[in-house]
Amino acid sequence: MKLISVQENLKKGLLIVSHGTGKNINLPILNNILIKAHQNTIELISTNLEIGIINKLRGKVEEDGEFTVDAKIITEYVNLLPSENVLMEETDGELKIECDNYKTKIKGESAKEFPLIPSVSQDNYYSCNAVDFKKALNSVVFAVSNSENRIELSGVFFNFEDNKLILVSTDSYRLAEKSISVNAHNFNDQKLIVPARTVQELLRILSNYNNEDLDFEQKGEVKIAISDNQILFIIDSVELVSRLINGQYPDYK
């Protein structure tokens, strides 16, 4: 694997995906970020087995391949680099990084052990304005239950009906509801429960575009695709895949 990308793009991409890593004694590779280079596409991938985050970067791929390195180490190192082109090359179980006068090697692990991110078909999806979606999530996430006694209350209820998305959360004491307009692309009405951790990650990713990309703030949209027990959110060049919570949401009305 050999690739070249701009430090600013790598820094932002690593910041987004590093939050998706998970600490697991039985599967230490979850602490790592998977770097994939294939046909001039660079992908940074992380997962904690419940959430998977994929960020596609612009760059030049000189040699296809994939490799995993510790998320904290590579993120902190890239943050220290100047705003120049960064060369990354995997050789003999190490990731060589060069930028201007800086050079280092980070030991990593083979990508063979890295868990697969579930695939969600994008043939059918909903879309909505990114700003409206962010405001709606902020309006309801505070009322989600922190208790695991009733698992269905530990997430946000997504109710797609009549070109509207109704978001609901409650902890049995407080209740929040917010609706926004959506466009349904070959989709029927759906009802599902998205974990609170997933909603918090979505808000964090959406916040990365504040004041950085005014065009996205004004015109950007979020795509939402659903299949089986998984949900996919696409925000610009970032994809977030999450499991759904099984259960029947209470009749809050």
Side-chain angles (χ1 to χ4, degrees):
M1 180 188 76
K2 189 175 182 181
L3 60 91
I4 298 172
S5 187
V6 179
Q7 185 266 357
E8 186 179 352
N9 292 342
L10 279 169
K11 178 182 175 181
K12 184 176 178 180
L14 288 168
L15 181 66
I16 287 173
V17 301
S18 62
H19 280 261
T21 58
K23 293 183 178 180
N24 189 314
I25 298 173
N26 300 320
L27 206 58
I29 200 168
L30 294 183
N31 291 317
N32 291 6
I33 287 175
L34 172 63
I35 304 171
K36 290 180 71 173
H38 182 64
Q39 294 180 348
N40 274 332
T41 299
I42 301 169
E43 291 183 347
L44 305 176
I45 303 170
S46 67
T47 183
N48 62 4
L49 299 183
E50 294 185 0
I51 298 173
I53 302 176
I54 303 169
N55 191 4
K56 296 179 181 178
L57 303 179
R58 291 190 296 270
K60 180 182 179 183
V61 176
E62 296 189 353
E63 188 178 321
D64 289 1
E66 52 187 41
F67 193 60
T68 80
V69 289
D70 184 274
K72 184 178 180 182
I73 293 173
I74 189 171
T75 301
E76 290 181 351
Y77 182 75
V78 169
N79 285 348
L80 297 172
L81 297 176
S83 298
E84 303 287 345
N85 284 342
V86 180
L87 169 68
M88 291 187 176
E89 183 177 9
E90 184 264 319
T91 53
D92 301 324
E94 292 181 328
L95 183 67
K96 182 173 72 174
I97 304 176
E98 295 182 7
C99 178
D100 201 16
N101 295 323
Y102 294 81
K103 292 183 181 180
T104 194
K105 290 181 179 179
I106 302 174
K107 286 188 175 180
E109 297 180 63
S110 168
K112 293 178 181 177
E113 303 297 322
F114 199 82
L116 290 173
I117 305 296
S119 177
V120 178
S121 171
Q122 298 179 30
D123 293 338
N124 307 318
Y125 64 92
Y126 301 98
S127 63
C128 60
N129 178 270
V131 176
D132 293 344
F133 187 57
K134 179 184 174 184
K135 288 179 179 177
L137 292 177
N138 269 319
S139 298
V140 300
V141 70
F142 75 93
V144 173
S145 172
N146 294 321
S147 172
E148 294 295 326
N149 293 333
R150 295 186 64 185
I151 191 70
E152 67 273 10
L153 297 186
S154 65
V156 175
F157 181 54
F158 279 53
N159 183 10
F160 294 93
E161 63 177 22
D162 300 329
N163 287 326
K164 284 197 307 183
L165 168 58
I166 303 167
L167 300 171
V168 181
S169 66
T170 182
D171 58 5
S172 298
Y173 299 97
R174 301 174 296 180
L175 173 68
E177 181 189 64
K178 178 70 174 178
S179 65
I180 60 172
S181 298
V182 295
N183 296 314
H185 302 265
N186 303 321
F187 242 137
N188 298 320
D189 294 351
Q190 299 244 9
K191 296 181 180 181
L192 43 97
I193 307 172
V194 178
R197 165 82 191 272
T198 302
V199 172
Q200 288 159 356
E201 282 300 314
L202 283 170
L203 286 169
R204 190 179 57 79
I205 292 169
L206 286 163
S207 295
N208 276 302
Y209 293 95
N210 277 355
N211 302 321
E212 290 185 17
D213 190 341
L214 294 176
D215 187 57
F216 179 83
E217 272 284 289
Q218 294 166 3
K219 303 176 185 176
E221 68 172 16
V222 177
K223 291 184 179 179
I224 306 170
I226 304 154
S227 70
D228 297 329
N229 195 37
Q230 303 287 336
I231 187 166
L232 167 67
F233 298 92
I234 302 174
I235 303 163
D236 196 25
S237 60
V238 181
E239 297 181 7
L240 187 150
V241 181
S242 170
R243 66 168 181 83
L244 295 171
I245 294 176
N246 291 320
Q248 184 71 33
Y249 206 76
D251 184 5
Y252 69 94
K253 290 185 179 180

